[in-house]
């Protein structure tokens, strides 16, 4: 029997609520398969700062270092709460970016998927959604503006100023493009390259390197699209996309828009892969506006577990069962509060009820042989 050590970082806001449901599913997966999960919970994020004076405490680093994979809930505080923490120690700068840097998790995969049976959740017109939405965004995660040098001060004219640097080298660009090409080769052999080369020199270099990497993947067709145009195309014709690749900040913004076309960020899981360690997290934040109400959608968190099962532990079939179980609950006519308005003809269920129904569906499925 295989044993995997998994670091569990519940995070802030809705994090602990959706993590609870994800762990229920993980425990059932353990029960159904010849595998043992050693779960190690640790503090991470805004609450970790209040409790331990550090958003990424040393004890958490140790647990993550030892883990085979990390499951992370969303972190972050409301605008007002954030002000109680020094700027450089706030959750993203004090925990999230250091985690990405520590494990060099350069490849972020964000599936944007809405099968036909649950396509009614999309706010787009039925004729635009068609047979459903199914694409994956590949985002560079440890470079660009978010990781460049930052400088704040007062200039010679006495004006406060800020300077942030967008920096990429060819190694950083080629490794993420290579991952995107590999993925496109396994799927529909079409890669949308999202850039801003009409303005940014970083995109000019990105595109030069893309041409070089493309030579190794001649069977993949590349379609170039400016990032601003891509934002429009996502709304007007999402069916044209299969694999999209982009740098860090473009991916942050476009993938939230992708959550919008599905109907909620609650449908957006993700995987963040490095050369030796990967962590899995919802694409969204800690949703302080709904925290503690029991109405958050745990699909993104449970989906992140499914991605871990597939990508870190090679359990593709059981991961597919988890997806089918979650989508099956929605297809049965249930909805979490984020996806439907009252009176929409669906049965509204809580965070906990969604988790229980997923567990029941998964339990009823044949075990993987
Ligand atoms: P958010 O993603 O937390 O929420 C945006 C909207 O989506 C809100 O209306 C929220 O209620 C809804 N939403 C998000 N996830 C949901 C879910 N699972 N179920 C139902 N509804 C859901 O964005 P925000 O409000 O701008 O940010 C809140 C905090 O999260 C901030 O502190 C921000 O810095 C942080 N953040 C963290 C991460 C991360 O941990 N990777 C990512 C993004 C934002």
């Amino acid at each position: 029997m295989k044993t995997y050590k998994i670091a569990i970082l519940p995070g802030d806001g809705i994090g602990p609520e959706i993590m609870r449901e994800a762990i229920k599913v993980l425990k059932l997966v353990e029960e159904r398969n010849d595998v043992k999960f050693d779960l190690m919970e640790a503090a991470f994020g805004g609450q970790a700062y209040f409790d331990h004076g550090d958003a990424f405490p040393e004890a958490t680093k140790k647990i993550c270092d030892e883990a085979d994979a990390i499951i992370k809930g969303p972190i972050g505080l409301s605008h007002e709460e954030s002000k109680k923490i020094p700027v450089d120690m706030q959750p993203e700068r004090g925990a999230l970016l250091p985690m990405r840097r520590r494990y060099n998790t350069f490849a972020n995969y964000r599936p944007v998927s809405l099968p036909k049976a649950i396509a009614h959740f999309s706010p787009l017109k039925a004729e635009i959604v068609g047979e459903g939405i199914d694409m994956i965004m590949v985002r560079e995660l440890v470079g660009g503006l978010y990781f460049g040098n930052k400088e704040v001060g007062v200039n010679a004219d006495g004006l406060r100023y800020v300077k942030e640097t967008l920096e990429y080298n060819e190694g950083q660009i080629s490794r993420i493009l290579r991952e995107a090409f590999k993925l496109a080769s396994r799927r529909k052999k079409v890669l949308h390259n999202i850039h801003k080369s009409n303005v940014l020199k970083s995109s000019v270099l990105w595109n030069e390197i893309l041409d070089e990497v493309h030579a190794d993947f001649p069977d993949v067709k590349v379609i170039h699209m400016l990032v601003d145009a891509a934002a429009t195309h996502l709304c007007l014709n999402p069916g044209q996309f299969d694999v999209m690749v982009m740098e860090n900040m473009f991916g942050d913004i476009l993938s939230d828009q992708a959550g919008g076309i599905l109907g909620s960020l609650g449908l957006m899981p993700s995987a963040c892969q490095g050369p030796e360690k990967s962590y899995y997290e919802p694409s969204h934040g800690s949703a302080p506006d709904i925290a503690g109400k029991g109405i958050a959608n745990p699909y993104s968190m449970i989906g992140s577990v499914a991605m871990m099962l597939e990508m870190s532990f090679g359990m593709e079939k059981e991961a597919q069962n988890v997806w089918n179980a979650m989508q099956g609950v929605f297809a049965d006519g249930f909805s979490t509060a984020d996806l439907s308005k009252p009176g929409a003809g669906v049965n509204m269920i809580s965070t906990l009820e969604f988790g229980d129904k997923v567990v029941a569906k998964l339990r009823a499925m044949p075990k993987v042989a």
Side-chain angles (χ1 to χ4, degrees):
M1 180 185 286
K2 285 215 161 144
T3 299
Y4 296 111
K5 287 184 182 173
I6 305 174
I8 303 282
L9 316 180
D12 298 317
I14 61 170
E17 300 167 47
I18 58 176
M19 184 66 85
R20 214 167 291 133
E21 304 314 311
I23 290 175
K24 273 187 205 166
V25 174
L26 198 53
K27 295 233 174 208
L28 177 58
V29 168
E30 187 179 39
E31 203 181 301
R32 286 164 46 89
N33 292 273
D34 196 24
V35 66
K36 181 162 173 4
F37 298 130
D38 193 356
L39 307 185
M40 309 176 292
E41 189 169 324
F44 190 74
Q47 195 54 46
Y49 176 82
F50 293 131
D51 294 343
H52 306 280
D54 187 351
F56 192 5
E58 284 306 317
T60 301
K61 288 185 183 136
K62 189 164 180 291
I63 285 176
C64 292
D65 286 352
E66 284 170 9
D68 295 303
I70 300 164
I71 282 281
K72 176 200 152 289
I75 60 169
L77 303 168
S78 67
H79 190 69
E80 286 310 313
E81 283 289 300
S82 291
K83 290 182 188 159
K84 296 179 183 165
I85 302 184
V87 169
D88 285 331
M89 296 185 192
Q90 288 169 1
E92 271 90 346
R93 275 177 293 264
L96 189 63
L97 299 181
M99 160 110 95
R100 290 175 182 170
R101 191 179 289 119
R102 188 177 187 84
Y103 300 119
N104 197 11
T105 53
F106 69 92
N108 182 207
Y109 299 92
R110 297 192 157 182
V112 184
S113 170
L114 200 64
K116 192 172 169 51
I118 58 172
H120 54 279
F121 288 140
S122 174
L124 303 181
K125 289 178 193 154
E127 66 262 32
I128 288 179
V129 176
E131 293 301 298
I133 295 171
D134 181 22
M135 70 184 91
I136 182 156
M137 291 188 171
V138 182
R139 168 187 173 195
E140 199 291 325
L141 201 60
V142 295
L145 209 43
Y146 292 8
F147 282 83
N149 283 335
K150 294 171 197 304
E151 187 182 301
V152 289
V154 179
N155 69 15
D157 299 324
L159 298 174
R160 283 169 294 167
Y161 78 93
V162 59
K163 194 156 107 188
E164 299 191 278
T165 313
L166 196 172
E167 193 174 339
Y168 272 111
N169 65 44
E170 61 177 299
Q172 288 174 304
I173 297 172
S174 65
R175 68 182 176 178
I176 188 68
L177 289 173
R178 208 160 274 285
E179 295 306 318
F181 271 109
K182 279 193 237 164
L183 184 63
S185 319
R186 293 199 299 272
R187 290 176 51 118
K188 293 186 181 163
K189 304 192 188 310
V190 178
L191 177 64
H192 277 82
N193 176 46
I194 309 302
H195 61 91
K196 186 73 185 170
S197 67
N198 52 344
V199 175
L200 296 176
K201 287 281 186 75
S202 53
S203 286
V204 174
L205 178 63
W206 178 281
N207 291 350
E208 262 173 46
I209 293 168
L210 183 131
D211 287 342
E212 291 161 19
V213 176
H214 192 186
D216 292 338
F217 299 89
D219 56 333
V220 175
K221 179 180 175 194
V222 171
I223 297 174
H224 293 281
M225 198 176 271
L226 295 174
V227 62
D228 37 355
T232 305
H233 282 280
L234 268 176
C235 292
L236 298 183
N237 182 11
Q240 72 188 287
F241 297 112
D242 188 51
V243 180
M244 300 170 82
V245 65
M246 62 206 91
E247 65 88 57
N248 202 344
M249 188 166 75
F250 296 164
D252 190 9
I253 297 170
L254 276 197
S255 63
D256 258 38
Q257 190 186 341
I261 67 170
L262 298 184
S264 169
L265 282 172
L267 294 179
M268 289 287 296
S270 88
C272 312
Q273 293 205 306
E276 269 137 40
K277 182 114 39 196
S278 299
Y279 82 91
Y280 299 84
E281 63 170 355
S283 299
H284 58 72
S286 57
D289 54 336
I290 57 165
K293 297 184 179 165
I295 56 170
N297 185 352
Y299 184 104
S300 54
M301 194 75 248
I302 302 172
S304 300
V305 164
M307 293 185 84
M308 173 184 71
L309 294 176
E310 179 185 340
M311 299 171 90
S312 280
F313 306 151
M315 299 174 70
E316 290 86 1
K317 287 189 180 149
E318 189 69 331
Q320 192 54 54
N321 286 338
V322 172
W323 292 118
N324 292 347
M326 289 203 292
Q327 289 160 8
V329 172
F330 285 138
D332 284 349
F334 296 101
S335 175
T336 43
D338 51 328
L339 289 168
S340 308
K341 297 263 178 297
V346 292
N347 294 314
M348 221 61 104
I349 51 175
S350 66
T351 311
L352 184 147
E353 286 168 323
F354 183 81
D356 284 348
K357 286 185 185 300
V358 172
V359 162
K361 277 228 179 270
L362 183 60
R363 200 182 287 286
M365 289 178 184
K367 290 184 187 174
V368 177

